[in-house]
Amino acid sequence: MTHDTATMPVTELKHTRWGAVLAVSLAIVLAALDLTIVAVALPLIGTELAAPPAVTQWVLLAYFLPMTALGIPGGRWMDRAGLRPAFALAVAGFGVASVLIALAPTMALLLTGRVLQGAFGSLISILGFPIVAAAVRPEHRGRAMGLITTLIPLSGLIGPGLGGLLAETFGWRAVFAINIPIAAA
């Protein structure tokens, strides 16, 4: 008999589901990376979309504000929605918002996409630890949580360098397009 790890009590797990830990880790890397990867592309975005620096700064804020503000209401919603459906919605929404941003012809559409991306990023962030707790045997929980908590600051550290490389090589849209294959995976 198979059990859904989203509804199964943690003590009944026979095997740690490292695949779930990997999926959550990738999603959390996406959410954390997008806090910093964009910063170095702001001048290119401003130039191409004819926006002054004061407006391009909103590309960062439009992501950060909903990501921060939706933590508590998102957690409450998650309690009712279930882990797997909420995680699937959050990752898919993040990917769709990334497509919207990468294709945005105007700053207004780009900022709209960033707000959506921040909202879905918030959901990803609050879903990660409960999913891992449900998918990992108690004796493996420290290792799994340690992996995720290590990847969050590492994502922030590599974001500017990766963003600069992508923006310089492929243009600013690549900074957002890189999210699409990761979200799909």
Side-chain angles (χ1 to χ4, degrees):
M1 174 181 217
T2 61
H3 294 284
D4 179 9
T5 58
T7 58
M8 180 179 183
V10 175
T11 55
E12 290 184 30
L13 283 175
K14 290 186 173 54
H15 303 287
T16 291
R17 297 184 182 234
W18 290 107
V21 174
L22 178 62
V24 167
S25 297
L26 283 174
I28 287 178
V29 164
L30 272 181
L33 193 63
D34 263 69
L35 286 168
T36 61
I37 195 170
V38 177
V40 295
L42 293 179
L44 293 172
I45 293 169
T47 300
E48 187 173 320
L49 298 180
V55 174
T56 59
Q57 291 299 313
W58 277 97
V59 174
L60 298 173
L61 289 171
Y63 182 80
F64 184 72
L65 292 173
M67 187 162 191
T68 304
L70 295 176
I72 292 173
R76 183 176 174 172
W77 170 77
M78 179 200 69
D79 288 340
R80 293 185 308 244
L83 294 177
R84 279 187 179 186
F87 184 72
L89 174 68
V91 173
F94 195 92
V96 169
S98 296
V99 170
L100 176 68
I101 297 164
L103 298 175
T106 65
M107 183 59 80
L109 195 55
L110 187 147
L111 292 175
T112 301
R114 282 295 277 176
V115 169
L116 291 171
Q117 198 179 45
F120 289 116
S122 178
L123 291 176
I124 289 170
S125 296
I126 60 176
L127 285 163
F129 291 110
I131 289 173
V132 169
V136 175
R137 292 176 51 100
E139 63 268 20
H140 298 148
R141 198 167 298 138
R143 189 177 334 152
M145 298 291 184
L147 172 68
I148 292 172
T149 57
T150 301
L151 290 174
I152 293 169
L154 282 177
S155 298
L157 286 173
I158 66 168
L162 180 59
L165 178 67
L166 289 170
E168 187 175 300
T169 307
F170 303 107
W172 68 265
R173 294 176 190 279
V175 171
F176 300 101
I178 194 155
N179 297 335
I180 299 162
I182 298 169

